[in-house]
Amino acid sequence: GEYGQEGAEDVLQSAKEEELKKASETSGTAAAGSTSPGATTQASSSDSTAGGKATTTTSTKTASSSTTSTSASSTSSSRAGGARPLGGPDPTPGGALFCLPLFRRPAFPGFYQIVQVSDQEVLDFLFTLRKGGNGDFLAGFMTKEAPSSSLLSDDPSGAGSSASAAAYGNLRRDGGRAASVAELEEVGSMLQVINLTQYPNIAGGQVVVMPHKRIRRTKTVSEPSPNIQLAAVTVEDFPEPEVKEDDAEVTELAKKASDKMKELLETSTQYKEQFEQVIRFYDLEHPVKVADLIAGMSLARREELQEILMEQDLKKRLEKVVDIVSKDLEFAKLQLKMKSEAEDSVVKEQRREMLMQQMKTVMEELGLGEDEKHTSINQFRDALKDKIVPAEAEKVIENELAKLGTLEPTSSEFNVCRTYLEWLTCLPWGIHTPENKDIKRAEEILNEDHYGLEDVKERILEHIAVSFLKNSTQGKIMCLAGPPGVGKTSIGSSIARALDRKFYRFSVGGMHDVAELRGHRRTYVGAMPGKLIQCLKITQSSNPVVLIDEIDKLGRDYRGDPSSAFLEILDPEQNANFRDHYLDVPVDLSNVLFICTANVTDTIPGPLLDRMEVIRIAGYVFEEKVAIANQYLIPQTEEQSGIGKDNMVLHEEALNKIIADYAREAGVRHLRKLLEKINRKVALRMVRKKEGDDGKTEIQLGNLPDFIGQPPHMSDRLYDAGAPPGVVMGLAWTQMGGASLYVEATGHGGAKVRTPNIEVIANESPSDPILDPETEQRPVKKPTKSFGGGMGGSMKITGQLGEVMSESSAISLTYARLFLMELEPDNTYFDETAIHLNVPEGAVPKDGPSAGVTMATSLMSLALNVPVKPDLAMTGELTLSGKVLKVGGIKEKVIAAKREGVTTLLLPRQNEADYSELKDYLKAGLTTHFIDHFDDTYRLAFDQSLVPPINWPSRGLPVVTVETPADVLPPPMMRAKPGDSAGKQEEVVLPPPISSPSSPSVSL
């Protein structure tokens, strides 16, 4: 009779009554904003376990109790249902079974089967049933229509894990979820769940089942829903055909099927392995069992297998079994034949190779060896094996091989043709180096070789992430611009190591000949390909990392312009079909990662610069140099000099002195030279010392000059006690990094120097207004006649300033005159005084627009006879209307300001975004004001108690002030303990910044 028809209805009714009872009890105490009962189910679910199995707080007792109204939670339904759990080899009548849809084949009774389930929600539901003691039996029905693909092509869980994307493509999709019961066949098998297993790293798992008997679906209890992934049905036994002992025809068919199966087992090892695994579950003397065994092992179509499962006539069932086993036997024989032919072919090739080798040896002994021409042709053909050569290149190679076969080895054309073929066949056509997709490992490699350079490292990690998501290698063009010694060239090899790519470097500094890049024409004697083709030959990879060093120092003469040749090489849209003049066939450079280095980008032509992604690298501050010295330079120099790490102790104060007073450049190249010099001195002392003297050499402040001499920078500043009136510290960007730039102004002749008097300024009569009451305009005072023999009002400029800087000084003087007229109409200093403006270190050329604000402030300080505030520096371009414009090199200038011990910075308002991108430890101890007009520069640069106040509102945007605490330090670094041979590491916190190191020379 039917299983569970009456029991399922009782369970549904019981679940509904329990649900209404619980709703009435909790209605008075429900919290505000509570969700529907369906949301309660989700909230009551526990988190996923380590194995990936999601379990609920309360297990579902029966399928019918889990299929109540969607307005109630599945947890409440399972508690309310009183259905009888299924257990044992035969479920008790009155229960309902969940349907497990089978996609590939039906399950035959007694045939042990592993079902791979890729739908994680279905697997979680089976785990939930099994935990509640209700998942021992399932109803297995095959779907009427096969899914679109039997293999997974995406992540069924929706997690989108890229790490497991490759694994999904190798999984079968045996079972899962069906949208409706109507999609399933009516006849299936009762499955006893033996084991459930969750895959460790990907969604889904496998279900081990043992089909017991055929069943027929009688009634649908519930359809699949978002909370309950499997449908629930009631079933009945599907009658098995009766076996008559005197039925000769059935006996003959069963024997014929058994004979076919035995022959199949002898032919195919695959069937033999399956037979040995399941034979203990079958009675080979019983025709029904024999039919089920053969059908379960068969590779027939799913429709044919379903027909055998549903067939009740034993004779017809055996006839269909004989038919499918005959097809399997023919297929197995065909496979065996193909395998045998393949083995015979391999044996024949091996035999031929052996005979050829013997024949070659005999011919060499007799002096009848193969001529050079045929040997070369065979070598070229062998070199092209396993390479994917483009069609055009392959056509050229075949033509050249045919041509080589017609030439005499003694002719000059033979050598030219052979050399050309050598280059064509040695290139890595279609060969790519597998790229590293482990972000963490790449980051460790980059940090292991270089300290800082966060922008470069972040860009490389982004490149790896894009390659990982696209599942393909790609090429890019980057340009690392920065001062010498900051690690631009050395980071190239680290990038190649982090990406697991081959590395090739060549320098183009001073290159004049385009042929070095694009190759020579083959008509020239000694012609050869260019650097890019040589790179592919040496690396034997189509996606190496190519470092083009000193690209800002390209030359140009009558032999061509190499920068123009780079327009094609460094263009992602063109280099996929790069043509070398020598090869004259397209070569794909689109997968090459080009990294260019330059000190400045001003000398790089605009079209070429537009093709590159510029990453600017500024110099290092004091704290970063200490970290680099401890982490890289000191261990490297100790190893290279041979003194080891146990024979020298470099004290911290001595290292700080070296960095502050000896090595002030933006990079660390000079610092490395100084450390190498110290190590050489120590090595000499070790060789000269007497035997038995094993004392370490200690480098302290006292004996530091004995190793590296006196410091080249003796004074910290030009003015230790504060700058006098007319002197202001500016900030400049140089090829060596940032630098301080003092501007001095003085005057002679004409008006007397103003003496600050706060009381006189504060008690001025209100009858002397700043604004004209009639026109509401500030009065413009006409300049008076100059004194001093016609020198009044002129300005002389010294310091080897360029044209741009000279124009900035003229603009500064003009605006300073107008500003002084507005501020003090009676002050005629600029009208009657000859001004001399100087920028120290006249041997160094200087140019650039960023000194306008500094010059105007210096002139105002001179005219008012008031010095600017101490520890103040500024930069910015000034217009005739007083606006402060944006400048470049903010990071370098901030580093220079910290090196000078500056505490207050005045920067253009438009550079606020550039300043905010800097690390906090670079800005530690700085108070930075972002100004938009010279009015704010005047208020912030001078002590307002010593100068006339401005009685009008600022004509620019509001000032933005950013203060950074002085105790912000760089991240801790890792350094090996002294004397620890095992390489254990300890955390070393960098020392705080020094108070006032002095500045290097300026080269704008």
Side-chain angles (χ1 to χ4, degrees):
E2 295 184 347
Y3 284 180
Q5 180 175 358
E6 181 179 358
E9 295 174 355
D10 295 340
V11 168
L12 290 173
Q13 184 63 28
S14 176
K16 292 180 180 179
E17 293 176 356
E18 183 69 18
E19 179 184 338
L20 294 175
K21 181 180 178 181
K22 287 184 175 295
S24 62
E25 291 176 355
T26 59
S27 60
T29 58
S34 62
T35 59
S36 65
T40 308
T41 302
Q42 185 178 2
S44 65
S45 298
S46 63
D47 296 335
S48 298
T49 60
K53 299 178 290 188
T55 61
T56 56
T57 306
T58 308
S59 62
T60 307
K61 296 301 181 184
T62 62
S64 57
S65 63
S66 302
T67 56
T68 55
S69 173
T70 57
S71 64
S73 66
S74 60
T75 304
S76 300
S77 301
S78 62
R79 289 175 181 159
R84 293 168 290 277
L86 300 179
D90 194 4
T92 304
L97 293 178
F98 284 107
C99 295
L100 178 62
L102 303 176
F103 298 148
R104 301 176 65 248
R105 58 188 298 121
F108 286 89
F111 196 83
Y112 180 85
Q113 190 168 344
I114 298 177
V115 180
Q116 292 189 0
V117 179
S118 59
D119 195 320
Q120 184 62 43
E121 295 180 353
V122 173
L123 190 66
D124 291 341
F125 183 71
L126 294 178
F127 272 116
T128 302
L129 292 177
R130 191 170 181 83
K131 184 176 180 181
N134 193 28
D136 293 335
F137 285 89
L138 300 171
F141 295 99
M142 193 180 72
T143 57
K144 295 179 180 178
E145 299 291 337
S148 58
S149 175
S150 61
L151 297 179
L152 286 177
S153 60
D154 56 356
D155 184 356
S157 66
S161 174
S162 299
S164 60
Y168 283 118
N170 297 325
L171 295 180
R172 295 196 317 269
R173 191 178 180 186
D174 297 335
R177 186 196 323 223
S180 173
V181 176
E183 297 180 0
L184 306 178
E185 299 283 355
E186 292 186 1
V187 177
S189 301
M190 179 176 291
L191 309 177
Q192 182 181 3
V193 180
I194 306 300
N195 189 21
L196 287 174
T197 304
Q198 168 73 47
Y199 292 133
N201 298 321
I202 58 177
Q206 63 182 16
V207 184
V208 182
V209 298
M210 172 62 74
H212 281 285
K213 57 185 177 181
R214 289 172 171 81
I215 56 176
R216 177 188 286 125
R217 189 175 73 252
T218 59
K219 180 182 178 182
T220 301
V221 179
S222 68
E223 294 283 356
S225 66
N227 293 328
I228 301 174
Q229 285 71 29
L230 299 181
V233 298
T234 57
V235 298
E236 65 179 3
D237 287 340
F238 188 77
E240 291 288 354
E242 183 180 355
V243 181
K244 298 179 180 179
E245 296 181 359
D246 57 348
D247 194 338
E249 191 173 358
V250 170
T251 304
E252 182 65 23
L253 287 173
K255 184 178 182 301
K256 184 177 180 181
S258 298
D259 293 342
K260 291 281 187 181
M261 182 184 66
K262 292 177 182 179
E263 186 179 357
L264 180 62
L265 295 176
E266 295 175 357
T267 305
S268 174
T269 57
Q270 177 183 358
Y271 288 95
K272 186 176 181 180
E273 292 175 358
Q274 294 187 30
F275 179 80
E276 292 175 352
Q277 292 178 3
V278 301
I279 186 59
R280 62 181 181 271
F281 301 110
Y282 285 87
D283 181 8
L284 297 182
E285 301 297 330
H286 198 287
V288 176
K289 298 297 183 181
V290 172
D292 288 344
L293 172 61
I294 297 175
M297 294 172 53
S298 176
L299 298 178
R301 295 185 298 112
R302 61 197 303 272
E303 294 81 5
E304 295 177 340
L305 297 177
Q306 181 65 25
E307 290 178 0
I308 295 175
L309 184 70
M310 299 173 61
E311 184 59 58
Q312 292 181 296
D313 190 317
L314 183 56
K315 179 182 175 182
K316 294 182 179 179
R317 181 184 295 183
L318 288 172
E319 289 176 350
K320 293 179 180 180
V321 167
V322 171
D323 184 38
I324 63 172
V325 74
S326 300
K327 294 179 181 178
D328 288 343
L329 180 59
E330 292 297 326
F331 181 72
K333 289 181 179 180
L334 179 61
Q335 282 186 321
L336 183 62
K337 180 182 177 182
M338 294 174 62
K339 181 180 178 181
S340 177
E341 291 177 354
E343 291 177 351
D344 292 343
S345 177
V346 171
V347 172
K348 187 182 296 183
E349 288 293 330
Q350 291 176 346
R351 182 172 177 271
R352 182 179 182 277
E353 183 69 23
M354 183 182 65
L355 293 176
M356 290 292 294
Q357 189 68 28
Q358 293 177 353
M359 184 180 69
K360 182 178 179 181
T361 303
V362 172
M363 293 183 68
E364 288 178 355
E365 291 292 334
L366 296 176
L368 302 175
E370 192 176 19
D371 61 344
E372 181 182 0
K373 179 169 57 177
H374 291 89
T375 301
S376 299
I377 293 176
N378 292 334
Q379 290 177 349
F380 293 145
R381 294 193 181 278
D382 293 337
L384 293 177
K385 291 181 179 179
D386 301 328
K387 293 183 179 180
I388 305 175
V389 184
E392 184 175 350
E394 186 177 8
K395 182 179 179 180
V396 172
I397 292 174
E398 291 297 330
N399 292 338
E400 291 295 325
L401 288 174
K403 177 182 176 182
L404 186 67
T406 61
L407 295 175
E408 290 296 328
T410 56
S411 66
S412 59
E413 184 68 13
F414 179 85
N415 291 328
V416 174
C417 184
R418 183 177 62 179
T419 304
Y420 180 51
L421 282 170
E422 286 177 353
W423 280 104
L424 284 174
T425 55
C426 72
L427 293 183
W429 301 105
I431 299 176
H432 295 80
T433 304
E435 191 165 277
N436 173 37
K437 296 181 180 180
D438 189 348
I439 295 290
K440 184 176 294 185
R441 174 173 170 269
E443 191 171 7
E444 290 174 355
I445 292 174
L446 294 174
N447 291 331
E448 178 183 344
D449 296 340
H450 291 82
Y451 182 88
L453 304 180
E454 288 83 6
D455 294 340
V456 182
K457 295 177 181 178
E458 187 72 13
R459 182 61 185 87
I460 297 305
L461 296 179
E462 292 170 1
H463 174 84
I464 296 176
V466 172
S467 300
F468 181 82
L469 294 178
K470 293 182 64 178
N471 198 22
S472 64
T473 59
Q474 56 176 338
K476 282 293 180 183
I477 297 96
M478 305 178 191
C479 180
L480 308 180
V486 296
K488 301 185 300 297
T489 303
S490 59
I491 193 68
S493 59
S494 298
I495 292 173
R497 197 158 65 92
L499 295 174
D500 282 344
R501 291 194 187 190
K502 300 296 183 62
F503 178 70
Y504 184 83
R505 172 191 172 273
F506 68 96
S507 177
V508 296
M511 179 183 291
H512 295 79
D513 195 355
V514 177
E516 291 190 43
L517 296 175
R518 301 188 65 102
H520 304 84
R521 303 287 182 184
R522 292 199 306 277
T523 55
Y524 295 104
V525 177
M528 61 185 303
K531 289 288 186 182
L532 279 305
I533 302 301
Q534 297 177 32
C535 160
L536 297 180
K537 176 185 176 182
I538 294 173
T539 60
Q540 283 299 301
S541 173
S542 296
N543 61 332
V545 175
V546 178
L547 180 70
I548 305 175
D549 213 359
E550 308 295 346
I551 198 170
D552 58 328
K553 301 175 181 63
L554 283 170
R556 182 177 182 179
D557 63 0
Y558 66 93
R559 288 170 292 184
D561 181 10
S563 62
S564 300
F566 272 116
L567 294 179
E568 178 187 4
I569 297 173
L570 300 182
D571 191 341
E573 302 297 330
Q574 301 182 41
N575 59 11
N577 295 301
F578 171 73
R579 282 184 178 269
D580 185 88
H581 287 163
Y582 181 85
L583 297 183
D584 199 26
V585 294
V587 179
D588 187 6
L589 300 179
S590 61
N591 292 320
V592 178
L593 176 58
F594 290 99
I595 300 177
C596 307
T597 67
N599 295 127
V600 294
T601 58
D602 300 336
T603 57
I604 303 176
L608 179 59
L609 186 64
D610 183 65
R611 285 163 166 77
M612 297 185 291
E613 179 182 352
V614 180
I615 302 176
R616 301 192 179 275
I617 305 176
Y620 298 110
V621 294
F622 176 85
E623 296 85 354
E624 292 176 326
K625 288 186 177 180
V626 172
I628 294 172
N630 286 324
Q631 195 171 354
Y632 303 101
L633 301 183
I634 293 177
Q636 290 175 5
T637 53
E638 287 177 347
E639 181 182 356
Q640 293 172 1
S641 63
I643 65 173
K645 59 183 178 180
D646 299 326
N647 296 304
M648 183 188 73
V649 177
L650 180 61
H651 289 267
E652 182 179 335
E653 60 272 15
L655 178 60
N656 295 346
K657 181 71 173 178
I658 295 173
I659 296 174
D661 294 339
Y662 290 83
R664 291 184 177 175
E665 80 282 0
V668 293
R669 185 170 294 159
H670 187 55
L671 176 60
R672 184 187 185 91
K673 293 179 181 178
L674 293 173
L675 293 174
E676 290 174 348
K677 186 175 182 180
I678 292 175
N679 281 271
R680 290 195 302 268
K681 296 280 187 183
V682 173
L684 181 60
R685 290 191 179 190
M686 291 174 58
V687 175
R688 286 178 174 176
K689 69 182 179 181
K690 300 178 181 179
E691 294 183 2
D693 184 9
D694 296 329
K696 295 183 179 180
T697 303
E698 297 189 6
I699 292 90
Q700 302 175 349
L701 283 178
N703 62 354
L704 184 61
D706 298 337
F707 293 87
I708 56 177
Q710 296 297 328
H713 308 285
M714 298 300 296
S715 61
D716 292 339
R717 293 189 179 187
L718 292 179
Y719 306 96
D720 295 333
V727 178
V728 180
M729 181 194 297
L731 298 173
W733 178 90
T734 72
Q735 295 185 16
M736 301 295 293
S740 60
L741 185 72
Y742 281 92
V743 176
E744 299 174 323
T746 186
H748 61 87
K752 296 181 179 180
V753 176
R754 177 186 180 277
T755 302
N757 189 335
I758 303 306
E759 295 181 357
V760 174
I761 296 175
N763 296 327
E764 282 183 344
S765 173
S767 61
D768 186 13
I770 299 298
L771 298 178
D772 190 343
E774 294 182 0
T775 62
E776 295 185 357
Q777 299 290 331
R778 294 179 179 85
V780 179
K781 184 177 177 64
K782 296 181 179 180
T784 58
K785 296 181 179 180
S786 61
F787 294 87
M791 293 295 294
S794 63
M795 184 171 69
K796 181 180 180 181
I797 304 172
T798 56
Q800 202 175 164
L801 307 185
E803 291 184 6
V804 177
M805 207 166 183
S806 299
E807 292 179 359
S808 296
S809 63
I811 294 172
S812 301
L813 178 61
T814 301
Y815 184 78
R817 285 175 174 172
L818 296 175
F819 189 83
L820 186 61
M821 289 179 186
E822 294 176 332
L823 188 67
E824 276 190 328
D826 295 332
N827 191 334
T828 60
Y829 185 85
F830 289 127
D831 301 330
E832 302 173 356
T833 305
I835 306 297
H836 184 175
L837 190 142
N838 176 57
V839 181
E841 298 186 20
V844 181
K846 311 170 189 70
D847 202 2
S850 63
V853 173
T854 309
M855 291 179 174
T857 305
S858 174
L859 294 174
M860 289 300 302
S861 174
L862 177 65
L864 299 175
N865 195 26
V866 176
V868 297
K869 294 179 181 179
D871 299 329
L872 173 74
M874 62 184 68
T875 183
E877 182 179 1
L878 187 67
T879 67
L880 284 175
S881 60
K883 296 287 288 185
V884 181
L885 302 183
K886 182 179 181 179
V887 295
I890 293 299
K891 183 176 182 179
E892 291 86 350
K893 293 178 180 179
V894 170
I895 293 174
K898 284 203 63 178
R899 189 169 59 235
E900 295 295 334
V902 171
T903 59
T904 306
L905 279 179
L906 300 183
L907 300 180
R909 176 68 181 271
Q910 298 177 16
N911 288 111
E912 182 181 356
D914 300 331
Y915 185 84
S916 63
E917 292 178 357
L918 302 181
K919 303 294 182 182
D920 288 340
Y921 68 88
L922 296 177
K923 303 179 288 186
L926 292 178
T927 301
T928 306
H929 305 282
F930 297 94
I931 55 178
D932 187 58
H933 197 273
F934 187 79
D935 292 347
D936 301 312
T937 306
Y938 178 83
R939 289 190 178 97
L940 295 171
F942 297 97
D943 186 350
Q944 293 300 301
S945 63
L946 301 177
V947 296
I950 296 179
N951 294 328
W952 62 84
S954 174
R955 288 167 281 187
L957 297 175
V959 177
V960 177
T961 302
V962 177
E963 295 184 12
T964 306
D967 56 352
V968 178
L969 298 177
M973 70 175 184
M974 302 302 292
R975 181 189 177 190
K977 295 181 180 179
D980 190 354
S981 60
K984 295 181 180 179
Q985 297 189 339
E986 64 176 346
E987 188 174 271
V988 180
V989 179
L990 298 177
I994 58 177
S995 58
S996 179
S998 54
S999 64
S1001 60
V1002 178
S1003 175
L1004 287 175

